[in-house]
Amino acid sequence: MTGTLPVWTVIKGTYAAVFRDFSGFVASIWIWLVLTWAASLGIGYLSVVLPNAVRQLHIAQLIIVPMYAGMAVVWHRYVQLHEEKRGIRTLRFGYRELKLFAIASMLLISLLGPIVLGGGIVQTGRGSKHAVGLVALYSLALSFAFFYMTLRLSLTFPLTATDESHVFDKSWSMLKGKLLRLFAILLVTYYPTLFLVGKLTEVGLLAI
């Protein structure tokens, strides 16, 4: 990936990859989708019936990470390599999936560590106006840093799924100077998907 990142070309290509053979797309990842949705639903339900345990439930998100890893491998290999696996075969969890799980877990831990530290700042400075301002600045800086790192390393997923090596270096260099365009692409492709999954989880909780 060199030069300018073509925003609308990438967006069109993303949706075309899904809808060109929508039945094949669904057949390749439906089991992972159902498992991920069910796990999200279970965590959401526990957060409702056990509101005092919400903090502890953050760690439960790690249950979902392997599911995302497995789904990502199936999806990227289907789109990029035209590798079709259907039914129970899509539940294979091997080297590529473990590698993605390790990457995603590392990103999560890098986020959870500072959050715990921020909680310590709040406890230490409880009742102090200066502590509130410090936590606000800390949270803003943390959010920006994590968002920046996530964007720069976002290509590690497709690179890992297709057996590339040195995925961190490649993702970091390939996305240099392209983050605003990448963010625009994510706004139109990735974030609507997250919104839809969130709404489906809400509907499931209401049904329960």
Side-chain angles (χ1 to χ4, degrees):
M1 188 187 296
T2 58
T4 303
L5 183 63
V7 175
W8 291 112
T9 301
V10 174
I11 291 171
K12 284 172 59 180
T14 300
Y15 282 105
V18 173
F19 293 108
R20 183 170 52 240
D21 180 15
F22 189 67
S23 60
F25 164 69
V26 173
S28 65
I29 67 169
W30 74 269
I31 296 180
W32 285 113
L33 283 172
V34 169
L35 288 175
T36 304
W37 181 72
S40 300
L41 188 62
I43 293 170
Y45 177 73
L46 288 175
S47 69
V48 172
V49 298
L50 300 171
N52 294 330
V54 170
R55 289 182 181 176
Q56 284 76 9
L57 287 172
H58 285 307
I59 200 67
Q61 297 296 331
L62 288 173
I63 298 171
I64 301 176
V65 175
M67 299 177 190
Y68 280 133
M71 190 190 309
V73 169
V74 172
W75 160 242
H76 288 301
R77 293 185 72 82
Y78 175 77
V79 172
Q80 296 173 252
L81 303 179
H82 308 291
E83 177 183 288
E84 288 195 34
K85 288 187 177 181
R86 304 193 176 201
I88 199 70
R89 287 185 300 167
T90 64
L91 292 179
R92 175 187 175 278
F93 203 90
Y95 173 72
R96 284 186 293 264
E97 290 82 359
L98 283 171
K99 202 171 176 182
L100 276 185
F101 170 64
I103 293 170
S105 298
M106 181 193 70
L107 289 173
L108 275 176
I109 291 169
S110 70
L111 173 65
L112 290 175
I115 285 177
V116 171
L117 179 59
I121 294 173
V122 172
Q123 286 296 113
T124 304
R126 188 176 293 278
S128 168
K129 293 181 180 179
H130 296 294
V132 173
L134 180 61
V135 170
L137 287 173
Y138 175 84
S139 300
L140 184 63
L142 171 64
S143 299
F144 176 79
F146 185 74
F147 185 67
Y148 177 82
M149 290 288 292
T150 302
L151 282 180
R152 285 297 294 265
L153 296 176
S154 59
L155 290 185
T156 55
F157 284 80
L159 290 171
T160 299
T162 53
D163 300 318
E164 293 282 346
S165 58
H166 308 293
V167 294
F168 291 103
D169 293 342
K170 286 182 180 178
S171 180
W172 194 265
S173 60
M174 290 167 74
L175 290 175
K176 183 179 180 180
K178 302 181 177 71
L179 295 189
L180 285 178
R181 288 176 172 270
L182 177 61
F183 179 62
I185 292 168
L186 292 175
L187 280 178
V188 184
T189 57
Y190 180 63
Y191 293 116
T193 305
L194 287 184
F195 177 78
L196 179 61
V197 171
K199 287 300 178 184
L200 286 173
T201 302
E202 287 180 17
V203 170
L205 287 172
L206 289 174
I208 292 176

